[in-house]
């Protein structure tokens, strides 16, 4: 508690364009190594880059979403360094005039709102991928030249929890405005964390360490926590200047520790200069308008759910935690499910049954199927208990037809008032002593009469049975 943690994050978001940022190669994931390549992304002599307009449009959309300044004039630069997965020996990026500057994101920590500044978001090309197999290393350049938006925060975060809250909010925003699938397992949402500490009350910024290529919220938190403890220990032991140097470190997920990778380069080390093969970018008013037309943001959607549907804040928060959940929920409403039923059967019943690798995408149960189940409850054709049995069958079989399952499982409720009244009157006639006891104040006997009716009419609608019994008694 004697120290304050200072965290800034650099997040690389792969934009979901169909083709790469400076050539027409596909950006599809999982292809045979070195299949999606051409002279431009291989860096062959004479090949010239051409900027992908859609990448610029998506960068504008992000700037709009975070309330940033969008520079109508922008330039690309060469960032010079050598690494086996960088075939040109430089990366096309932005330095002096990025496309997006000075935005912010609001996060919630324990009910307290905090604003995290976004210094810049610039377009750049990705590198390839090194594959190490024993003593042999291979390079797959399919990913080389895919479009990235690098989002650089201010050093405004003070704990791993705040860093994760910021990352989750950022992850949600880029998915809701549909500029990236942000799939962390496939590397389309990656994070570098810059971490330093200082004594509380001290305004000075001390040596920061960069932890590179983190792609899981769990490991990002663990890496930050370990690095903070390492730096505090060095400070306490009087070896801070020796042990904590400006460098790039990697997080060992097996051992839970960070380890040195290389010395951290400064901007001068990269020898930035304007790329002579690319014209300066000027964003037309038309393109600025197109990019600024973004979908509803998570916070906006949450407030709409609360105000329009009367959903509780906590339930709305669950829904907007995922774009898929929101879309599924809204589709259920379009198919006729009521708000309460759609919310309960989606977030509590269905998600409660999806275990392991099962999720909303691969469970096989469409929004129309779940909406049909809710509608059959609304129509009193099945009870809530029967609906749970049907849902179990749907999950087990990865989908199915609700009405066919109702029929095959014999779960349709009886809603024939005439038949139920006849049975109720017969039960009252044969149990005059219990009727008298009930009328004298023994209310618990009501359950006896309900049980007798349900026993005599299999599948009777329990709600209607209760109503008719109260009338007759």
């Amino acid at each position: 508690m004697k120290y304050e943690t200072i965290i800034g994050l650099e997040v690389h978001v792969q934009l979901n364009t169909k083709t790469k940022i400076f050539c027409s190669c596909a950006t599809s994931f999982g292809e045979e190594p070195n299949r999606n390549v051409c002279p431009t992304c291989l860096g062959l002599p004479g090949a010239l880059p051409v900027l992908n307009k859609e990448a610029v449009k998506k960068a504008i959309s992000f700037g709009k979403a975070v309330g940033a300044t969008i520079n109508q004039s922008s330039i690309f630069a060469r960032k010079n360094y050598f690494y086996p997965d960088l075939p040109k020996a430089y990366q096309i990026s932005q330095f002096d005039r990025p496309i997006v500057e000075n935005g912010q994101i609001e996060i919630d920590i324990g009910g307290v709102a905090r604003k995290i500044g976004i210094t810049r978001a610039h377009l750049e090309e990705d590198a390839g991928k090194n594959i190490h197999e024993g003593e042999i290393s291979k390079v797959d350049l399919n990913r080389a030249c895919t479009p990235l938006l690098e989002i650089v925060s201010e050093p405004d975060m003070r704990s791993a929890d705040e860093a994760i809250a910021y990352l989750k909010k950022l992850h949600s925003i880029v998915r809701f405005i549909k500029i990236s699938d942000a799939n962390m397992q496939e590397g389309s949402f990656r994070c570098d964390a810059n971490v330093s500490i200082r004594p509380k009350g001290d305004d000075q910024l001390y040596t920061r360490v960069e932890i590179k290529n983190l792609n899981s919220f769990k490991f990002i938190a663990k890496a930050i926590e370990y690095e903070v403890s390492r730096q505090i220990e060095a400070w306490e032991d009087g070896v801070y200047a020796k042990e904590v140097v400006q460098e790039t470190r990697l997080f060992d997920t097996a051992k839970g520790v960070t380890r040195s990778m290389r010395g951290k380069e400064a901007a001068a080390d990269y020898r930035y200069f304007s790329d002579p093969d690319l014209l300066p970018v000027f964003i037309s008013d038309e393109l600025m308008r197109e990019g600024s037309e973004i979908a509803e943001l998570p916070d906006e959607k949450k407030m709409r759910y609360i105000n329009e549907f009367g959903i509780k804040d906590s339930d709305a928060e669950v829904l907007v935690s995922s774009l898929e959940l929101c879309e599924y929920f809204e589709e259920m409403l379009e198919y006729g499910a009521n708000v309460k039923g759609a919310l309960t059967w989606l977030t509590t019943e269905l998600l409660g049954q999806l275990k392991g690798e099962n999720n909303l995408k691969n469970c096989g149960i469409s929004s129309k199927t779940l909406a049909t189940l809710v509608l059959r409850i609304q129509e009193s054709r099945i009870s809530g208990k029967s609906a749970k049995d049907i849902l179990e069958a749907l999950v087990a079989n990865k989908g199915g037809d609700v009405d066919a399952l109702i029929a095959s499982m014999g779960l349709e409720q009886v809603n024939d008032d005439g038949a139920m009244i006849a049975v109720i009157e017969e039960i009252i006639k044969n149990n005059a002593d219990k009727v008298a006891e009930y009328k004298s104040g023994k209310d618990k006997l009501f359950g006896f009469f309900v049980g007798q009716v349900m026993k005599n009419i299999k599948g009777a609608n329990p709600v209607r049975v209760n109503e008719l019994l109260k009338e007759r008694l």
Side-chain angles (χ1 to χ4, degrees):
M1 298 300 293
K2 295 189 298 182
Y3 300 93
E4 184 176 42
T5 302
I6 312 294
I7 303 168
L9 299 176
E10 299 170 14
V11 179
H12 293 84
V13 176
Q14 182 176 324
L15 300 176
N16 55 2
T17 56
K18 292 180 180 178
T19 57
K20 295 183 180 182
I21 189 168
F22 298 120
C23 66
S24 59
C25 293
T27 56
S28 50
F29 180 80
E31 298 286 348
E32 180 185 336
N34 298 306
R35 172 59 61 89
N36 292 344
V37 293
C38 71
T40 300
C41 51
L42 289 175
L44 298 182
L48 293 174
V50 178
L51 179 59
N52 185 330
K53 180 181 174 182
E54 278 298 305
V56 176
K57 183 177 171 182
K58 291 177 188 293
I60 295 168
S61 297
F62 175 76
K64 176 73 174 178
V66 297
T69 299
I70 300 164
N71 292 320
Q72 199 162 17
S73 295
S74 185
I75 56 174
F76 280 94
R78 290 187 180 182
K79 181 180 180 181
N80 297 272
Y81 66 96
F82 176 76
Y83 212 62
D85 58 8
L86 194 68
K88 296 192 291 284
Y90 63 84
Q91 178 190 33
I92 302 176
S93 183
Q94 294 186 301
F95 184 58
D96 288 327
R97 281 153 57 191
I99 197 161
V100 173
E101 288 183 291
N102 303 322
Q104 65 178 21
I105 287 178
E106 189 172 284
I107 61 172
D108 184 284
I109 298 294
V112 178
R114 288 210 59 224
K115 290 180 179 177
I116 307 298
I118 292 175
T119 311
R120 57 189 280 142
H122 59 262
L123 287 167
E124 64 183 21
E125 61 181 344
D126 204 351
K129 182 181 179 182
N130 291 317
I131 302 165
H132 306 292
E133 298 174 353
E135 296 181 356
I136 298 173
S137 291
K138 302 176 182 179
V139 181
D140 177 8
L141 294 173
N142 278 345
R143 202 171 67 187
C145 215
T146 56
L148 296 180
L149 186 66
E150 181 175 347
I151 303 161
V152 182
S153 82
E154 292 287 319
D156 289 344
M157 288 153 276
R158 296 293 177 265
S159 69
D161 287 343
E162 288 190 8
I164 298 306
Y166 166 83
L167 285 169
K168 286 185 174 178
K169 188 67 167 286
L170 192 62
H171 187 267
S172 181
I173 287 171
V174 300
R175 284 183 50 72
F176 270 73
I177 63 174
K178 299 185 178 180
I179 65 170
S180 174
D181 63 16
N183 188 318
M184 298 181 83
Q185 287 72 36
E186 294 180 2
S188 52
F189 190 91
R190 314 192 297 271
C191 170
D192 301 339
N194 292 291
V195 181
S196 65
I197 62 165
R198 66 186 175 194
K200 281 200 170 178
D202 191 339
D203 292 333
Q204 184 177 340
L205 290 175
Y206 292 87
T207 305
R208 63 184 171 92
V209 169
E210 181 184 45
I211 312 170
K212 198 80 173 168
N213 287 336
L214 300 163
N215 64 351
S216 130
F217 294 131
K218 175 184 172 183
F219 290 142
I220 292 165
K222 286 183 177 296
I224 291 171
E225 287 166 357
Y226 173 82
E227 186 56 32
V228 169
S229 66
R230 184 184 77 87
Q231 293 187 23
I232 289 175
E233 185 178 345
W235 195 297
E236 295 281 356
D237 291 344
V239 293
Y240 179 82
K242 180 182 177 183
E243 295 290 333
V244 181
V245 296
Q246 186 167 320
E247 64 177 344
T248 298
R249 297 176 73 87
L250 292 177
F251 182 62
D252 187 324
T253 57
K255 296 180 179 177
V257 300
T258 63
R259 52 186 176 80
S260 182
M261 177 184 175
R262 62 173 183 262
K264 172 67 176 169
E265 300 91 342
D269 296 324
Y270 291 123
R271 307 185 310 284
Y272 282 101
F273 62 86
S274 298
D275 193 306
D277 291 335
L278 285 163
L279 292 170
V281 178
F282 180 79
I283 300 171
S284 67
D285 292 342
E286 181 184 0
L287 183 57
M288 189 73 81
R289 281 194 300 272
E290 288 178 12
S292 297
E293 293 171 359
I294 59 174
E296 197 173 30
L297 294 168
D299 287 347
E300 294 171 345
K301 197 176 283 288
K302 177 183 172 181
M303 292 311 300
R304 179 168 66 82
Y305 286 168
I306 292 169
N307 296 329
E308 187 177 328
F309 301 137
I311 293 174
K312 291 190 300 184
D313 184 280
S314 56
D315 289 332
E317 190 70 41
V318 170
L319 285 172
V320 301
S321 66
S322 157
L323 178 61
E324 286 80 15
L325 267 179
C326 288
E327 291 177 339
Y328 199 105
F329 171 71
E330 292 182 17
E331 286 166 8
M332 286 183 71
L333 300 185
E334 288 173 9
Y335 287 122
N338 61 30
V339 171
K340 184 179 178 182
L343 179 66
T344 301
W345 283 88
L346 173 57
T347 63
T348 302
E349 301 298 340
L350 178 55
L351 293 187
Q353 290 206 31
L354 299 180
K355 308 294 182 185
E357 295 182 1
N358 275 354
N359 56 53
L360 208 56
K361 281 184 177 179
N362 65 19
C363 70
I365 302 170
S366 68
S367 55
K368 185 176 182 179
T369 298
L370 195 61
T372 302
L373 186 66
V374 173
L375 279 168
R376 298 300 173 260
I377 300 170
Q378 291 171 204
E379 296 161 355
S380 297
R381 282 185 56 186
I382 55 173
S383 66
K385 182 181 180 302
S386 297
K388 289 185 179 183
D389 294 336
I390 293 166
L391 183 60
E392 282 184 14
L394 290 170
V395 171
N397 298 320
K398 286 194 171 288
D401 184 278
V402 171
D403 290 331
L405 286 168
I406 291 171
S408 64
M409 296 168 76
L411 296 175
E412 184 148 8
Q413 290 189 140
V414 174
N415 289 292
D416 184 343
D417 280 9
M420 286 189 277
I421 289 169
V423 170
I424 287 168
E425 290 181 345
E426 184 69 20
I427 289 168
I428 288 173
K429 178 182 175 183
N430 295 336
N431 293 278
D433 54 336
K434 286 187 169 55
V435 172
E437 288 180 51
Y438 173 76
K439 289 185 174 182
S440 69
K442 292 189 177 180
D443 295 342
K444 289 184 179 179
L445 277 171
F446 188 77
F448 163 79
F449 292 109
V450 172
Q452 290 298 304
V453 177
M454 300 300 287
K455 184 178 177 181
N456 279 273
I457 305 180
K458 187 179 179 183
N461 182 342
V463 175
R464 192 62 183 142
V465 167
N466 274 261
E467 292 170 350
L468 294 171
L469 263 172
K470 283 177 183 175
E471 289 174 12
R472 292 301 181 278
L473 284 170

